């Protein structure tokens, strides 16, 4: 099936912004998207992965390792020539076993040849790309915990039957789900960098435009892709420039103080909120080509970075987004 152009997705601006931030700085910690079915969650994630330029990887390496990976993991990467390959986009099915996710011992080879051989899992395939989990709120908690640990460390360690394997597994974790089918445990949700709420559009013009673009893409995918190629190229250049600028940007004490005041005002649990808020604000500033991280960048990413970290207030049953917006208005006007 042909990829839907990222720039052709109608609306859902906060979701698109969160995905672009994660593409510029994966250390933000992944993106969780909650919302109705059929609101473009997986379409947007696939579109972004398909938009990115091919990566250079060791030809026969099962992990798609780079030269840097080869130096750090000489025992698993091999020594073949480099080749271009598409940025990985891996779907993790709900019924996946732990062995399929992390990798397993190749028992057939062990029995046949007496050799202990490791069979890489989905984490290996997702290295340097995206790991997408639809309906993550229905995935077993221990698997979600495992995925978040690997996503944070960038490394997968597997020990089976006396065999110990350590391989790189750096990927952007994207989860999506429908809140009506059950919520993710707060302890796990908190470990996602950004959380986005998407809803079915209510404007007639928006719904008509979505139908129009979907019909055009189905009728002639190549022509539709060509129509949006220039806009996709602009987004690609923004990401590339953002990655280059990222290391040069450091939030000043004024923005750090603003972030601390905001997190205190909304009652964010722990310090992960401030840290994610600053990483996301810096990535947004880099995307926009700003010379420094400003309060506006911090405010723009605050709902995504904080809405899933708020303590429940029995005296205030308003939604998290409303509480954040209210605190921003009271603190900064």
């Amino acid at each position: 099936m042909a990829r839907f152009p990222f720039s052709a997705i109608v609306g859902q601006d906060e979701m698109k912004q969160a995905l672009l931030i994660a593409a510029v700085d994966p250390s933000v910690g992944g993106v969780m998207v909650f919302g109705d079915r059929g609101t473009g969650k997986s379409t947007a994630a696939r579109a972004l992965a398909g938009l990115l330029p091919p990566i250079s990887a060791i030809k026969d390496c099962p992990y798609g390792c780079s030269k840097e990976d080869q130096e750090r993991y000489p025992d698993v990467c091999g020594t073949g020539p480099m080749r271009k390959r598409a940025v990985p986009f891996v779907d993790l099915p709900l019924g996946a076993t732990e062995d399929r996710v992390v990798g397993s011992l190749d028992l057939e080879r062990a029995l046949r040849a007496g050799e202990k051989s490791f069979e890489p899992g989905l984490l290996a395939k997702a290295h340097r790309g995206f790991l997408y989990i639809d309906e993550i709120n229905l995935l077993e908690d221990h698997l979600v915990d495992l995925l978040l640990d690997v996503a944070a460390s960038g490394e997968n360690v597997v020990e089976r039957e006396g065999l110990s394997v350590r391989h790189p597994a750096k990927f952007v974790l994207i989860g999506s789900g429908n809140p009506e089918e059950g919520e993710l445990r707060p302890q796990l949700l908190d470990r996602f960098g950004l959380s986005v709420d998407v809803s079915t559009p209510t404007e007639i013009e928006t719904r008509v435009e979505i139908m129009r673009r979907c019909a055009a893409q189905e009728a002639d995918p190549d022509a539709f892709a060509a129509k949006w190629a220039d806009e996709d190229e602009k987004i690609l250049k923004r990401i590339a420039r953002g990655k280059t600028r990222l290391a040069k940007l450091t939030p000043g004490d004024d923005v750090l103080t603003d972030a601390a005041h905001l997190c205190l005002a909304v009652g964010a649990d722990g310090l992960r909120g401030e840290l994610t808020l600053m990483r996301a604000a810096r990535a947004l500033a880099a995307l926009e080509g700003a010379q420094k991280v400003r309060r506006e960048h911090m405010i723009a990413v605050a709902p995504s970075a904080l809405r899933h970290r708020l303590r429940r207030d029995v005296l205030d049953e308003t939604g998290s987004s409303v509480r954040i917006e209210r605190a921003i208005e009271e603190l900064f006007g």
Side-chain angles (χ1 to χ4, degrees):
M1 184 176 177
R3 174 183 68 86
F4 198 87
F6 189 80
S7 57
I9 295 172
V10 181
Q12 310 298 12
D13 293 335
E14 188 186 15
M15 175 173 64
K16 290 189 287 187
Q17 175 181 277
L19 292 173
L20 290 173
I21 285 171
V24 168
D25 185 6
S27 72
V28 164
V31 180
M32 180 68 216
V33 186
F34 270 120
D36 305 328
R37 295 189 190 90
T39 48
K41 299 187 292 291
S42 62
T43 298
R46 291 176 190 279
L48 180 61
L51 167 69
L52 299 176
I55 56 176
S56 294
I58 298 168
K59 184 178 180 182
D60 296 319
C61 178
Y63 309 99
C65 286
S66 63
K67 281 289 187 183
E68 292 76 16
D69 294 328
Q70 189 180 42
E71 293 171 3
R72 186 175 177 186
Y73 302 91
D75 296 334
V76 300
C77 290
T79 57
M82 304 299 288
R83 66 175 177 86
K84 293 289 186 181
R85 57 175 286 186
V87 173
F89 185 92
V90 176
D91 269 303
L92 191 150
L94 284 179
T97 62
E98 184 172 335
D99 278 353
R100 186 179 177 193
V101 174
V102 302
S104 61
L105 182 67
D106 187 342
L107 295 176
E108 183 179 342
R109 184 170 174 180
L111 292 171
R112 187 178 65 248
E115 300 175 359
K116 289 185 177 181
S117 175
F118 180 69
E119 186 70 28
L122 295 177
L123 296 182
K125 294 181 180 179
H127 179 48
R128 304 174 68 196
F130 296 80
L131 182 64
Y132 180 76
I133 312 168
D134 194 15
E135 297 182 328
I136 190 172
N137 43 329
L138 302 182
L139 193 67
E140 292 183 28
D141 283 347
H142 80 280
L143 279 180
V144 179
D145 215 358
L146 183 154
L147 291 167
L148 289 165
D149 283 340
V150 175
S153 67
E155 185 176 74
N156 182 35
V157 180
V158 183
E159 295 181 342
R160 295 281 192 278
E161 306 296 333
L163 178 72
S164 180
V165 176
R166 185 184 301 267
H167 70 79
K170 295 180 180 179
F171 50 83
V172 175
L173 182 63
I174 302 174
S176 69
N178 186 341
E180 294 179 358
E181 296 172 348
E183 295 184 356
L184 199 62
R185 281 198 293 124
Q187 303 94 307
L188 298 178
L189 183 57
D190 173 65
R191 292 176 59 191
F192 275 90
L194 304 176
S195 176
V196 179
D197 290 335
V198 296
S199 58
T200 305
T202 55
E203 301 83 7
I204 294 298
E205 290 182 3
T206 300
R207 297 171 77 110
V208 169
E209 184 60 24
I210 290 171
M211 289 187 286
R212 188 182 293 123
R213 293 186 188 184
C214 287
Q217 199 257 353
E218 290 170 3
D220 192 338
D222 292 336
F224 188 72
K227 177 181 177 180
W228 292 94
D230 288 345
E231 293 301 316
D232 267 7
E233 183 64 24
K234 290 177 185 177
I235 293 173
L236 183 57
K237 288 179 179 178
R238 281 184 67 203
I239 294 172
R241 286 195 295 262
K243 286 184 174 182
T244 302
R245 291 192 188 102
L246 192 64
K248 302 172 185 176
L249 291 171
T250 302
D253 285 349
D254 56 338
V255 182
L256 296 178
T257 303
D258 283 345
H261 279 303
L262 179 58
C263 289
L264 278 173
V266 298
D269 281 325
L271 292 174
R272 194 173 279 131
E274 278 100 328
L275 297 174
T276 304
L277 192 54
M278 283 302 90
R279 292 189 186 112
R282 186 179 66 156
L284 181 61
L287 267 171
E288 294 184 351
Q291 297 300 312
K292 66 176 184 177
V293 183
R294 300 190 300 272
R295 176 186 286 174
E296 303 91 273
H297 299 123
M298 187 270 293
I299 289 174
V301 300
S304 300
L306 299 178
R307 66 161 54 91
H308 53 307
R309 309 181 198 280
L310 305 196
R311 301 188 193 104
R312 189 158 194 175
D313 186 349
V314 294
L315 300 178
D316 186 356
E317 288 300 319
T318 54
S320 298
S321 298
V322 174
R323 289 169 59 188
I324 293 167
E325 290 168 6
R326 189 170 60 205
I328 289 171
E329 180 65 27
E330 291 173 354
L331 287 170
F332 312 123

